[in-house]
Amino acid sequence: MSLCSKARRTSVSIACILAVVVVLLPSLVSAQDENPPKADLFVGYQWLNPGGTVPAGTPPVGTKLPSLPAGMGATVTYNVDKWWGLSADVGTDFRNVASEHTFSVGPRLMWRGEGINMFAHTMLGLNRLSPQDVSSSNGLGAILGGGIDLKIWKPLSLRLLEADYVLGRHNFSDAAPVTDSALRRPVLNGVRLRTGLVFNFGGAPEVAPTAACSIDHNEVMVGEPLHVTVSPSNFNPKHTLKYDWSSTGGKIEGKDTGATIDTAGAAPGSYTATARVSDPKMKKGGEASCTSNFTVKPLNPPQMSCSATPAAVDAGGSATITCTCTSPDNATVTVGNWTSTGGSVSGSGNSATLNTTGASPGPITINATCTDSRGLTASSTSTVTVNNPPPPPPPPPQASKVNECDYPNKKKPWRVDNTCKAALDDIALKLQQDPEAKLVVVGNADPKEKRKNLAAERAVDVKAYLSGGEAKQNIDPSRIETRTGTAGTANSEHWIVPSGATFLGADSTTPVDESKVKAIPDHPQPAKKASKKKAQ
């Protein structure tokens, strides 16, 4: 038989198992029956397809493991509750080419129905593989699968089918070539099928029927409806149950597992709804009851608060009024009916805008009303103050003339002398105290002075002293503007221009082209001492 045909047969078997699960699952879920045994023991036949290639023979070569039809298995499970159990599993399969043995432990989940149980389990443990003529390998193993048990009677069940995925990780590095990593450390992906008998031990006695009630709201307002449900347990699922409903308050109408309570006209207070479930076919122990408590509360009006942002505005300004409204009874609320004692207010929903155009200085009160879905109302107010008109703004800053320098040196008419330097030091101090201010230097020249660009040279020499002269004032050159004037005097004028101010003499003066007119350095040469011959 080819490996392909075996794989197809395995796939068909698994498909059949899934079909049975789909068909039987509804009955299992709806027909939870007896209490589980304390423990159960499975013993039976086991077929295994290891699903892997391992070294085998002499010398060892890669061999695809065939199915191992000769085998047996056993599982013992301790049941923690009706659903969960802890299983210990052993299995062995053998053939002339190889044998595989497993020992695993893990949880089991079982669905128990009338006459049939279905389970799923997952386990970890030891997987021992013994290929022909090769040393056995003990590796990590895992099992994942499930099965179906048919109940024969309480102590005995038939395991109709168990189908498992069997994983094994092994190490044959002592037998396989170094170059073949897959053969040195093969991974088995096997399929295991089982059938046999399940022996059940222990178990609790039959549980008496019970009922549990639940209510959708523990507290309601007068007139609001309630819905109560009952969940019976431990009754025979094949029997039709009878339901009787009663309540100490309101009007209750029930059908099967649900009932509706109408609280219209009920006085505020605490009440109890009762459900009685009975099995008419049972003469003894076939009845259970439960209760749910609820409170009917009086209607409460909504609660509201409002605030204004900003709380004070200038005349003609606007403010936003925001109101928060809630219902202690969780009723739907709406805010409206906006009014004000001054200006005009317009709003939608919880927010409105106050326009103070034409309003007199002083407080303005804004009012709004909140209404809930039952017609109950609440009002709230907020206040916005209209400020007195502000004083007129101060006059804009003006440029001012600080001082000026004269140039009496006839040989160096551009030279900044010590008197001028003292005046410029005062200007530097003012610029340092006001880092936003700028300086405009206007150079002038007497018409009798014939030196070309003399007025411009005086302006740039002043700038050179302030930005990098011997006094090290280090004023940023970008803060100093040089210009030439038409005053016809041999001097330079120095104007401080604060931030925001404008130099008013811009139209009567001309900017200096500092790319053409450069500062003249003032480095006087030391006087030469004449050597006098001593009289002989």
Side-chain angles (χ1 to χ4, degrees):
M1 182 182 295
S2 68
L3 294 176
C4 293
S5 63
K6 291 180 181 179
R8 284 195 296 271
R9 290 178 60 185
T10 301
S11 300
V12 171
S13 299
I14 294 175
C16 292
I17 295 170
L18 294 176
V20 172
V21 171
V22 171
V23 171
L24 295 180
L25 185 58
S27 64
L28 291 172
V29 172
S30 62
Q32 289 296 315
D33 159 81
E34 60 190 46
N35 291 314
K38 203 63 180 175
D40 56 71
L41 171 65
F42 162 77
V43 179
Y45 167 74
Q46 173 176 299
W47 174 91
L48 175 68
N49 184 346
T53 300
V54 300
T58 306
V61 295
T63 302
K64 177 71 175 181
L65 292 175
S67 62
L68 308 179
M72 64 185 68
T75 307
V76 60
T77 302
Y78 174 78
N79 294 304
V80 179
D81 56 23
K82 181 167 60 176
W83 300 96
W84 294 98
L86 180 63
S87 297
D89 180 276
V90 293
T92 179
D93 292 89
F94 45 89
R95 197 171 181 171
N96 58 346
V97 67
S99 63
E100 184 175 341
H101 312 278
T102 60
F103 177 78
S104 307
V105 177
R108 181 187 73 182
L109 175 65
M110 177 169 282
W111 292 264
R112 301 178 184 275
E114 284 194 21
I116 187 171
N117 294 336
M118 295 176 58
F119 69 90
H121 58 197
T122 179
M123 294 178 281
L124 294 175
L126 174 70
N127 186 297
R128 180 178 177 83
L129 181 63
S130 301
Q132 183 182 13
D133 299 327
V134 175
S135 298
S136 298
S137 170
N138 294 321
L140 176 65
I143 295 174
L144 175 64
I148 302 172
D149 295 342
L150 298 179
K151 298 179 183 178
I152 300 175
W153 57 306
K154 186 173 182 178
L156 183 65
S157 300
L158 170 66
R159 180 146 298 175
L160 181 64
L161 180 65
E162 177 183 336
D164 297 312
Y165 164 71
V166 182
L167 171 70
R169 293 181 175 271
H170 292 279
N171 188 335
F172 290 101
S173 57
D174 58 342
V178 176
T179 57
D180 193 342
S181 59
L183 195 60
R184 289 169 63 86
R185 290 180 173 80
V187 178
L188 302 183
N189 293 286
V191 176
R192 183 178 77 178
L193 300 178
R194 283 177 164 183
T195 186
L197 296 177
V198 179
F199 300 92
N200 301 309
F201 305 96
E206 295 293 332
V207 180
T210 61
C213 290
S214 62
I215 193 166
D216 57 352
H217 295 93
N218 293 323
E219 295 181 346
V220 293
M221 298 296 107
V222 174
E224 294 180 341
L226 290 163
H227 188 70
V228 191
T229 57
V230 60
S231 299
S233 302
N234 304 321
F235 287 91
N236 191 322
K238 295 182 178 180
H239 296 173
T240 301
L241 303 180
K242 180 183 178 183
Y243 299 88
D244 296 307
W245 291 92
S246 63
S247 176
T248 59
K251 299 177 182 178
I252 188 167
E253 293 184 2
K255 182 180 179 181
D256 296 334
T257 60
T260 300
I261 302 175
D262 181 5
T263 63
S270 298
Y271 301 99
T272 300
T274 303
R276 178 176 175 272
V277 185
S278 59
D279 185 348
K281 294 184 179 182
M282 293 185 65
K283 295 181 179 180
K284 185 179 180 181
E287 182 177 312
S289 63
C290 61
T291 60
S292 285
N293 298 321
F294 62 94
T295 301
V296 178
K297 301 193 302 182
L299 301 179
N300 296 304
Q303 298 175 352
M304 185 180 185
S305 63
C306 297
S307 61
T309 305
V313 297
D314 295 332
S318 61
T320 299
I321 291 66
T322 303
C323 292
T324 300
C325 184
T326 58
S327 170
D329 304 335
N330 295 321
T332 302
V333 296
T334 56
V335 176
N337 193 25
W338 292 90
T339 61
S340 65
T341 58
S344 61
V345 64
S346 59
S348 175
N350 291 18
S351 179
T353 300
L354 173 68
N355 188 332
T356 62
T357 301
S360 301
I364 296 177
T365 301
I366 304 93
N367 182 81
T369 301
C370 176
T371 306
D372 69 13
S373 56
R374 302 161 303 182
L376 301 179
T377 62
S379 297
S380 181
T381 61
S382 183
T383 301
V384 175
T385 300
V386 179
N387 299 325
N388 290 315
Q398 300 289 332
S400 60
K401 180 178 176 181
V402 181
N403 53 36
E404 61 183 36
C405 285
D406 294 325
Y407 296 86
N409 192 325
K410 300 300 182 180
K411 293 184 178 181
K412 297 180 180 180
W414 60 84
R415 183 174 180 270
V416 176
D417 59 15
N418 290 337
T419 302
C420 183
K421 289 176 182 179
L424 295 181
D425 290 342
D426 181 56
I427 292 174
L429 179 60
K430 295 181 181 296
L431 291 175
Q432 291 167 354
Q433 293 172 344
D434 185 0
E436 300 297 325
K438 294 187 177 182
L439 176 69
V440 177
V441 181
V442 179
N444 296 304
D446 191 300
K448 297 177 181 180
E449 296 176 299
K450 302 304 182 181
R451 181 180 175 85
K452 185 180 179 181
N453 295 328
L454 180 57
E457 289 175 342
R458 287 169 175 166
V460 296
D461 278 4
V462 169
K463 179 176 181 178
Y465 176 80
L466 289 172
S467 60
E470 61 208 54
K472 306 297 183 182
Q473 300 293 358
N474 294 324
I475 302 301
D476 186 352
S478 64
R479 297 176 61 193
I480 304 174
E481 180 183 359
T482 56
R483 305 181 73 90
T484 58
T486 57
T489 55
N491 67 352
S492 60
E493 302 173 4
H494 313 130
W495 295 76
I496 291 289
V497 184
S499 176
T502 303
F503 176 56
L504 299 180
D507 294 337
S508 59
T509 59
T510 303
V512 176
D513 185 353
E514 295 187 29
S515 65
K516 296 180 179 179
V517 180
K518 304 296 182 179
I520 301 174
D522 185 13
H523 298 295
Q525 297 293 330
K528 294 182 180 181
K529 296 180 180 181
S531 58
K532 297 180 180 180
K533 293 182 180 181
K534 295 181 179 181
Q536 297 296 326

